[in-house]
Amino acid sequence: QLQLQESGPGLVKPSETLSLTCTVSGGSISSASYYWAWIRQPPGRGLEWIASIYYSGYIHHNPSLKSRVTISVDTSKNQFSLKLSSVTAADTAVYYCARQYNNYVTSWGQGTLVTVSS
Amino acid sequence: DIVMTQSPDSLAVSLGERATINCKSSQSVLYSSNNKNYLGWYQQKPGQPPKLLIYWASTRESGVPDRFSGSGSGTDFTLTISSLQAEDVAVYYCHQYYNTPYTFGQGTKLEIK
């Protein structure tokens, strides 16, 4: 059974870089059928797609965040990662990693709350 | 960007009654080459990630009870719960995956009356 697990600091200072890793188990990140995504949800609010990556490194970005986002994949570790630079309080959210099939999200991690505060 | 607008924002329905949630996209999400609507529905309970209920606007995900159904095409879609159960209390989101940036509706909070 596929499992996705986010990891990374729960507290980041303003202007610094948020870094998260998603570890995939129960399936290969190198499968040709899937994209791997980051999606966030500010407390009490809706869902925002950040970016998606294919195992080969092909990337789709949300233009609203593209200038600050770096997404990468490490097939040897079955992981993919997110870096979001120059964070502000508006970046405080639960960050989910997820698997996409035919572009829709089929599986989600449990999510990790990242708070931006000094 | 395709803007997804759900209605209502919140809804209270009696147990055993029908619940209907609407979703409208700012442009069509029907891909003419395969005649598929790139529209999904998710259920999110407190403290949990969203769960996929419906994809291609009307295809129920494996394991989802058949009281959940999706309909619509083009720009107007509906999620229907035919007989509300207590465990259906949640926030429901529609989602377009027609093009990037992929976007979600603002959510509809479903409660028991």
Side-chain angles (χ1 to χ4, degrees):
Chain A
Q1 182 179 348
L2 184 78
Q3 290 190 322
L4 301 100
Q5 181 65 58
E6 305 88 353
S7 59
L11 181 64
V12 181
K13 290 182 167 54
S15 80
E16 295 190 344
T17 296
L18 176 161
S19 296
L20 295 173
T21 296
C22 182
T23 300
V24 178
S25 57
S28 173
I29 205 167
S30 299
S31 171
S33 301
Y34 306 110
Y35 269 79
W36 305 90
W38 288 98
I39 295 165
R40 70 180 183 178
Q41 185 172 36
R45 298 182 62 184
L47 299 157
E48 180 181 31
W49 171 75
I50 299 170
S52 300
I53 189 166
Y54 195 56
Y55 77 95
S56 62
Y58 191 76
I59 296 170
H60 295 292
H61 282 103
N62 189 328
S64 68
L65 296 167
K66 183 176 182 178
S67 63
R68 298 195 291 133
V69 166
T70 303
I71 186 172
S72 59
V73 63
D74 187 336
T75 55
S76 67
K77 295 181 179 178
N78 228 34
Q79 294 176 334
F80 63 107
S81 298
L82 172 73
K83 293 186 186 298
L84 180 66
S85 64
S86 304
V87 298
T88 70
D91 295 310
T92 293
V94 175
Y95 285 76
Y96 295 102
C97 61
R99 185 180 76 175
Q100 290 177 273
Y101 176 68
N102 286 327
N103 295 348
Y104 58 88
V105 178
T106 59
S107 304
W108 301 71
Q110 284 300 305
T112 186
L113 175 63
V114 179
T115 301
V116 178
S117 175
S118 55
Chain B
D1 298 9
I2 298 177
V3 177
M4 308 299 290
T5 304
Q6 293 180 226
S7 62
D9 290 333
S10 63
L11 180 63
V13 174
S14 300
L15 289 172
E17 295 299 305
R18 178 185 300 261
T20 301
I21 299 170
N22 300 301
C23 176
K24 188 174 184 68
S25 57
S26 61
Q27 66 187 72
S28 177
V29 298
L30 174 62
Y31 192 38
S32 56
S33 66
N34 60 10
N35 201 38
K36 287 183 180 291
N37 287 283
Y38 283 57
L39 189 285
W41 288 97
Y42 294 84
Q43 175 193 65
Q44 187 177 32
K45 297 181 179 180
Q48 296 183 19
K51 172 188 172 183
L52 176 65
L53 298 176
I54 303 284
Y55 56 96
W56 302 134
S58 60
T59 302
R60 198 179 304 114
E61 171 72 333
S62 175
V64 173
D66 61 7
R67 64 180 181 273
F68 291 91
S69 63
S71 62
S73 185
T75 61
D76 292 280
F77 301 91
T78 300
L79 175 70
T80 301
I81 308 172
S82 60
S83 176
L84 189 71
Q85 305 300 302
E87 60 265 32
D88 300 334
V89 169
V91 178
Y92 292 84
Y93 294 95
C94 61
H95 165 52
Q96 69 79 18
Y97 48 96
Y98 180 83
N99 63 14
T100 59
Y102 305 123
T103 50
F104 296 84
Q106 81 276 17
T108 295
K109 186 174 184 179
L110 177 58
E111 299 173 314
I112 304 294
K113 185 187 290 182

